[in-house]
Amino acid sequence: ECKYHIVIVPKYRYKVFSREIREAVKDELRKLCVWMKVEIIEGNVCKDHIHMCLAIPPKYAISNVIGTLKGKTAIRMFNKFPKLRHKYWGSHFWSRGYYVNTVGKNEEMIRQYIKDQDKLDRLENQGKLF
């Protein structure tokens, strides 16, 4: 079992995931994961980042899977939402790199953490005035 907690962030950490873009990104990620035979265990699209818990077959390198997910979704988002090209010059939608961690015996805790991301983001921003 090769399960990973992955976080990817759009360039400059802009809060670009409005309802329409959020649904489109979710749909594209689902399609790509089916195509690559990667199982999405849990996922959450926040305003400025995406958390996923993925079961990746051992024959695939994590870097290749993430590279494919980021590359294909970027192309498809720019085609579907041309207004994004004004914000992201050079067709670079995602920031460089990603966060990855293996999921061991604490899978349930990580799944709950991913589900609660929106709540955690709201609590973090409550104390900020600006």
Side-chain angles (χ1 to χ4, degrees), residues 57-115:
K59 67 179 181 177
Y60 295 126
I62 300 166
S63 58
N64 292 343
V65 172
I66 301 300
T68 302
L69 291 176
K70 286 171 65 173
K72 298 284 186 195
T73 54
I75 291 167
R76 293 174 184 174
M77 290 302 103
F78 285 131
N79 289 339
K80 200 175 269 189
F81 304 101
K83 65 181 179 181
L84 287 175
R85 289 194 187 276
H86 300 291
K87 204 167 215 165
Y88 297 105
W89 55 276
S91 297
H92 297 287
F93 182 74
W94 299 106
S95 65
R96 292 180 65 194
Y98 54 90
Y99 169 83
V100 65
N101 191 5
T102 56
V103 175
K105 295 180 180 185
N106 56 355
E107 177 184 346
E108 208 43 53
M109 181 182 72
I110 290 174
R111 289 179 76 172
Q112 193 60 42
Y113 173 76
I114 291 171
K115 282 181 188 175

Side-chain angles (χ1 to χ4, degrees), residues 12 25 30 38 40 44 72 77 81 88 94 97 102 121 125:
Y12 314 119
V25 166
R30 276 191 215 110
V38 170
I40 299 175
N44 192 359
K72 298 284 186 195
M77 290 302 103
F81 304 101
Y88 297 105
W94 299 106
T102 56
D121 285 347
N125 291 330

Side-chain angles (χ1 to χ4, degrees), residues 21-61:
I21 296 174
R22 179 181 299 180
E23 292 305 316
V25 166
K26 279 184 193 178
D27 187 47
E28 292 302 328
L29 287 171
R30 276 191 215 110
K31 287 178 190 174
L32 288 167
C33 285
V34 167
W35 177 64
M36 292 188 298
K37 295 178 179 63
V38 170
E39 180 188 354
I40 299 175
I41 298 167
E42 195 67 51
N44 192 359
V45 180
C46 300
K47 290 180 182 179
D48 62 349
H49 63 284
I50 296 176
H51 283 267
M52 296 180 289
C53 185
L54 302 177
I56 300 173
K59 67 179 181 177
Y60 295 126

